[in-house]
Amino acid sequence: MLKIIKPTLLLDKKKCSRNIFFMANKAKRTNLILRPHFKTHQSAEIGNWFRDYGVNSITVSSASMAKYFADDWNDITIAFPVNILEADEINELADEINLNILVESEEVVKNLSRQLTSTVGAFIKIDTDYNRTGIHSSNVKAINSVLKAIEASDKILFKGFLTHAGHTYKAESQEELSNIHRKSINQLVSLKEMYINDYDKIILSIGDTPACTSEDMFDGVDEIRPGNFIFYDVMQYEKGICSASQIAVCLACPVVSVHKDRQEAVIYGGGIHLSKESIADKNRNAFYGLIVKLNNEGWGEPLKDCYVKSLSQEHGIIKMSEAELAQISSGSILGILPVHSCLTANLMKEYLTLNNQKISMMR
Amino acid sequence: MLKIIKPTLLLDKKKCSRNIFFMANKAKRTNLILRPHFKTHQSAEIGNWFRDYGVNSITVSSASMAKYFADDWNDITIAFPVNILEADEINELADEINLNILVESEEVVKNLSRQLTSTVGAFIKIDTDYNRTGIHSSNVKAINSVLKAIEASDKILFKGFLTHAGHTYKAESQEELSNIHRKSINQLVSLKEMYINDYDKIILSIGDTPACTSEDMFDGVDEIRPGNFIFYDVMQYEKGICSASQIAVCLACPVVSVHKDRQEAVIYGGGIHLSKESIADKNRNAFYGLIVKLNNEGWGEPLKDCYVKSLSQEHGIIKMSEAELAQISSGSILGILPVHSCLTANLMKEYLTLNNQKISMMR
């Protein structure tokens, strides 16, 4: 049994392996390159688990993260609009590995081109209606101007079109999700058709865990970049994307107080451990995690009618059913399935496997 | 001028000094001990700034944080319901410094008493209607049982009653805040009157930044434990507790993309930098920070109609007025005043002063 005395992020390696296998297998089956996003786990050791499944290229979300993983991986895409203030960092990385960046404006390409000393690959970030970043797929004028600027540069190589259909996270049914996914792919495929005569090869890259998990149609797509699927979380579970038994991380927290009068327990485990990411329940009330019991094999299914009601910096307030509350006292350990595993991992900076091994992360 | 290439937490030392002076002066004037909460800054160096203002005792929120500060401070209260699983850590600390803990149940006191090898001071945590932790002030039976368990222990010394009236954060007017504050104090004072014949000394300790900043009546209170006031933040500003010019930290973030069509900029700066803490605007829409321009003296007032609309892991989406948007481009730096400075500091793990000095934090 694990000895837990303060908030500890437990990691079930078997579940991770199954999650990686599932996605790698789907990629193989549908003839896609899996370029997993490593911002979820941010760990060199966990990253290496992907090797067994034929993964050779990865995605990260910052130059700092690329630097951390560059010791082990020589094909990295920084899936974030390139930050021209980090041109030195980009040059250093591009000297060492095959580096891809994301561009979405003519000015940025021109500016970067003047600063680059090494060659980088560039994807044009396409907005397929998520409306966060990128050039909208219909804005051919802007895409042309970026392509022209790339052509004029001897350090930037055009690699293809990349999108993140993050609005799949907001889909309220599988049908809606499928529609978003298909529309998004169609927008990329149309662009490829428009420009394929000018380029030998145009890679189409997509990235969200909901569609990569639950969809099977990827016609025309070359590469997928999901990240969250290695751990999943309550957000994906509530959307029906994964089952609870696929969630591979769990924050183990000591109970410090039990309030039977209001059916609440207080845990040592707050916003600096779980993150303040919340999700709405059926009554549109926000909650911050689901509750599980630890056992010899890891942890069980979410307890009915039990959830993290609120979080302060170190406190978590847990709403519990009368039956479950009767079984705990100060000093008990509760497991919390996080709403957003990427943010919880980022805060905890370390994992503890069920075999009692610590796994470190990028600092 | 500071060289900023990625999200950087700027700290205005002059503002901090003024904020500390204000609170220390108020404590002196109203005959209160100031035992500031160090969970806000989590920095040994910043902690030492309080020495100049006569501060000798501090508050922290975990045994780990007490350990970090124990090199410099020998009178520390861990203002969190004591975690009996950390008895070893508590013994180590109590060997070294004057340590106070918070208790709120007979069982915990009895359990701890069996494990303690060194003497600790104990405050009984009182719930004055915030309903997060503690024994409700009206529950005399439970208070008696805890006091009895403390009396039976030769390692636990009763120090007094402590509360955190966190519901002041939700007050919608100064009048409501004053009412909460007065009611909370009255509840503690009544308890003191009830038990004063049994004890030589009973310390009454209160803690929230809103009341400690804006109230002047502390009759009967011995000690205040505010923390956030050293930095303040948008939450306190929106509640009218502080002015914008008192906010002493600002997250400097590179602009990576400008979307004039929807009046938005994208910054490198997301939930892993600012935290996902949000606050509702007048129309009940959540936002995650206010925008300022950096200048030679630090930064200016919040820009009108500009705010952080949403946050992903590394992305921040900034809504900007047309006039302000016209002045920036990729590579510009925007300053973000955080909604909750404690959580932002906890994520950033380092400060940069306006004199270009790095200040480290607890890791």
Side-chain angles (χ1 to χ4, degrees):
Chain A
M1 202 59 186
L2 303 171
K3 194 193 171 202
I4 289 156
I5 62 164
K6 55 183 181 176
T8 304
L9 189 57
L10 303 182
L11 184 145
D12 186 325
K13 191 175 170 178
K14 274 188 200 159
K15 288 181 182 172
C16 289
S17 298
R18 278 202 294 267
N19 293 340
I20 299 172
F21 172 76
F22 167 84
M23 196 61 81
N25 195 41
K26 175 180 271 196
K28 204 172 167 188
R29 202 159 27 89
T30 47
N31 213 14
L32 295 165
I33 292 166
L34 173 60
R35 182 188 280 276
H37 208 315
F38 278 13
K39 73 172 179 177
T40 300
H41 58 78
Q42 294 184 52
S43 162
E45 183 171 344
I46 295 176
N48 285 332
W49 298 350
F50 285 82
R51 302 247 181 231
D52 296 340
Y53 302 90
V55 170
N56 294 311
S57 56
I58 67 167
T59 308
V60 300
S61 50
S62 66
S64 309
M65 208 183 290
K67 194 176 173 189
Y68 170 79
F69 283 111
D71 288 342
D72 292 323
W73 299 86
N74 67 6
D75 186 347
I76 300 181
T77 296
I78 304 176
F80 189 86
V82 65
N83 172 17
I84 54 174
L85 303 178
E86 292 183 296
D88 290 348
E89 286 72 11
I90 291 165
N91 279 323
E92 269 179 47
L93 282 161
D95 256 358
E96 203 184 328
I97 60 164
N98 293 320
L99 185 73
N100 298 314
I101 58 168
L102 265 51
V103 295
E104 57 182 75
S105 94
E106 183 188 355
E107 294 71 27
V108 164
V109 173
K110 286 181 175 169
N111 177 302
L112 201 64
S113 188
R114 288 192 295 272
Q115 297 190 73
L116 286 178
T117 52
S118 290
T119 304
V120 299
F123 284 90
I124 299 182
K125 176 71 185 280
I126 300 296
D127 180 2
T128 56
D129 303 326
Y130 178 36
N131 291 338
R132 185 177 64 171
T133 58
I135 304 174
H136 194 269
S137 61
S138 63
N139 192 349
V140 177
K141 195 178 153 201
I143 295 172
N144 281 337
S145 72
V146 171
L147 279 170
K148 206 174 149 192
I150 292 176
E151 284 304 309
S153 167
D154 61 347
K155 296 290 183 219
I156 306 181
L157 297 176
F158 176 59
K159 296 296 283 281
F161 298 109
L162 179 150
T163 194
H164 174 70
H167 43 329
T168 55
Y169 280 81
K170 287 181 182 157
E172 296 200 348
S173 67
Q174 187 60 43
E175 194 188 348
E176 193 185 340
L177 195 158
S178 295
N179 280 337
I180 293 170
H181 174 66
R182 279 175 200 162
K183 267 194 190 167
S184 177
I185 290 183
N186 287 343
Q187 290 171 67
L188 288 194
V189 169
S190 297
L191 285 177
K192 185 166 177 170
E193 287 168 355
M194 202 181 299
Y195 293 102
I196 193 64
N197 290 334
D198 303 326
Y199 297 92
D200 283 349
K201 197 173 173 171
I202 294 177
I203 298 168
L204 298 187
S205 176
I206 69 165
D208 58 304
T209 283
C212 291
T213 300
S214 64
E215 295 293 316
D216 279 306
M217 195 290 290
F218 296 90
D219 296 355
V221 174
D222 301 287
E223 173 183 280
I224 54 172
R225 309 180 320 280
N228 181 275
F229 73 96
I230 183 174
F231 295 157
Y232 290 115
D233 51 30
V234 169
M235 203 183 288
Q236 306 281 346
Y237 169 64
E238 291 284 320
K239 299 276 167 199
I241 302 301
C242 68
S243 68
S245 64
Q246 288 175 285
I247 300 176
V249 287
C250 167
L251 189 71
C253 296
V255 172
V256 293
S257 183
V258 174
H259 295 272
K260 291 199 170 153
D261 52 332
R262 53 179 190 264
Q263 283 185 224
E264 289 177 2
V266 182
I267 55 167
Y268 175 16
I272 64 167
H273 306 101
L274 269 174
S275 97
K276 295 277 286 195
E277 187 90 76
S278 65
I279 191 169
D281 67 11
K282 289 164 214 152
N283 305 318
R284 302 205 168 268
N285 292 318
F287 71 99
Y288 300 83
L290 293 175
I291 316 304
V292 294
K293 277 185 204 167
L294 304 191
N295 56 40
N296 285 333
E297 287 76 43
W299 56 86
E301 289 284 303
L303 301 177
K304 204 164 165 283
D305 301 326
C306 301
Y307 57 91
V308 183
K309 173 193 157 194
S310 65
L311 293 173
S312 314
Q313 186 162 338
E314 276 88 2
H315 298 76
I317 308 296
I318 313 293
K319 267 285 174 200
M320 292 192 87
S321 63
E322 210 176 319
E324 294 299 343
L325 201 65
Q327 295 181 41
I328 61 165
S329 57
S330 296
S332 301
I333 303 287
L334 287 177
I336 315 294
L337 300 182
V339 166
H340 191 168
S341 58
C342 311
L343 296 187
T344 303
N346 176 71
L347 279 160
M348 294 303 297
K349 299 285 179 229
E350 190 177 75
Y351 306 92
L352 185 69
T353 70
L354 301 179
N355 297 326
N356 211 23
Q357 289 178 312
K358 287 182 180 173
I359 295 183
S360 67
M361 291 174 66
M362 176 185 164
R363 291 266 166 172
Chain B
M1 204 55 186
L2 303 170
K3 195 193 171 201
I4 289 156
I5 64 165
K6 56 183 180 177
T8 304
L9 189 57
L10 303 183
L11 184 144
D12 187 325
K13 191 175 170 178
K14 272 188 201 159
K15 288 181 181 171
C16 288
S17 299
R18 278 202 295 267
N19 293 341
I20 300 172
F21 172 77
F22 167 82
M23 196 62 80
N25 195 42
K26 175 180 271 195
K28 203 172 168 186
R29 202 160 27 87
T30 47
N31 214 13
L32 295 164
I33 292 167
L34 173 60
R35 183 189 279 275
H37 207 315
F38 278 13
K39 74 172 180 177
T40 300
H41 57 78
Q42 293 185 50
S43 163
E45 183 171 343
I46 295 176
N48 285 331
W49 297 351
F50 285 82
R51 302 246 181 232
D52 297 340
Y53 302 90
V55 170
N56 293 311
S57 56
I58 67 167
T59 308
V60 300
S61 49
S62 66
S64 310
M65 207 183 291
K67 194 176 174 189
Y68 170 79
F69 283 111
D71 289 343
D72 292 323
W73 300 86
N74 66 8
D75 186 347
I76 300 181
T77 296
I78 304 176
F80 189 85
V82 66
N83 172 16
I84 54 173
L85 303 178
E86 290 183 298
D88 290 348
E89 286 72 10
I90 290 165
N91 279 324
E92 269 179 48
L93 282 162
D95 256 357
E96 203 185 327
I97 60 164
N98 294 319
L99 185 72
N100 298 315
I101 59 169
L102 265 52
V103 295
E104 56 184 75
S105 93
E106 183 188 352
E107 294 72 26
V108 164
V109 172
K110 284 180 176 170
N111 177 301
L112 201 65
S113 187
R114 287 192 294 274
Q115 298 190 72
L116 284 178
T117 53
S118 288
T119 304
V120 299
F123 283 90
I124 298 181
K125 176 73 185 280
I126 300 297
D127 180 2
T128 57
D129 302 326
Y130 178 37
N131 290 339
R132 185 177 65 171
T133 58
I135 305 174
H136 194 270
S137 61
S138 64
N139 191 350
V140 176
K141 196 178 152 200
I143 294 171
N144 281 337
S145 72
V146 171
L147 278 170
K148 206 173 148 193
I150 292 176
E151 284 305 310
S153 167
D154 61 347
K155 296 290 183 217
I156 306 179
L157 296 176
F158 176 58
K159 298 295 286 278
F161 298 108
L162 178 150
T163 195
H164 175 68
H167 43 327
T168 56
Y169 279 81
K170 287 182 182 156
E172 296 199 350
S173 66
Q174 188 58 45
E175 195 188 345
E176 193 185 339
L177 195 158
S178 295
N179 279 338
I180 293 170
H181 174 66
R182 278 177 201 161
K183 266 194 190 168
S184 176
I185 289 182
N186 287 343
Q187 290 170 68
L188 288 193
V189 169
S190 297
L191 285 177
K192 184 166 177 170
E193 286 167 357
M194 200 180 299
Y195 293 101
I196 193 64
N197 290 334
D198 302 327
Y199 297 92
D200 282 349
K201 199 171 173 178
I202 294 178
I203 297 169
L204 297 187
S205 176
I206 69 165
D208 58 303
T209 283
C212 291
T213 300
S214 64
E215 295 293 315
D216 278 306
M217 195 290 290
F218 296 90
D219 297 354
V221 175
D222 300 288
E223 173 183 280
I224 54 172
R225 309 181 320 279
N228 180 276
F229 73 95
I230 184 175
F231 294 157
Y232 290 115
D233 51 31
V234 169
M235 202 183 288
Q236 306 281 348
Y237 169 63
E238 290 285 320
K239 299 276 167 199
I241 302 300
C242 69
S243 68
S245 65
Q246 288 175 284
I247 300 177
V249 287
C250 167
L251 189 71
C253 296
V255 172
V256 293
S257 182
V258 174
H259 295 273
K260 291 200 170 154
D261 52 333
R262 53 178 190 263
Q263 283 186 222
E264 289 177 2
V266 181
I267 55 167
Y268 176 15
I272 64 166
H273 307 101
L274 268 174
S275 97
K276 295 277 283 196
E277 186 90 77
S278 65
I279 190 169
D281 67 11
K282 289 166 214 151
N283 305 318
R284 302 205 168 266
N285 292 317
F287 71 98
Y288 299 83
L290 293 175
I291 317 303
V292 294
K293 279 185 203 166
L294 304 190
N295 57 39
N296 286 332
E297 286 76 44
W299 57 84
E301 289 284 305
L303 300 176
K304 204 163 166 286
D305 300 327
C306 300
Y307 57 92
V308 183
K309 174 194 158 194
S310 65
L311 293 173
S312 314
Q313 187 163 338
E314 275 89 2
H315 298 77
I317 308 295
I318 314 292
K319 266 286 175 200
M320 291 192 87
S321 63
E322 210 176 319
E324 294 298 342
L325 201 63
Q327 295 180 43
I328 61 165
S329 58
S330 296
S332 301
I333 302 288
L334 287 177
I336 315 294
L337 300 182
V339 166
H340 191 169
S341 58
C342 311
L343 296 187
T344 304
N346 176 71
L347 280 160
M348 294 303 297
K349 297 285 179 230
E350 188 177 78
Y351 306 91
L352 185 69
T353 70
L354 301 179
N355 296 327
N356 211 24
Q357 289 178 311
K358 286 182 180 171
I359 295 183
S360 66
M361 290 173 68
M362 175 185 164
R363 290 264 169 176

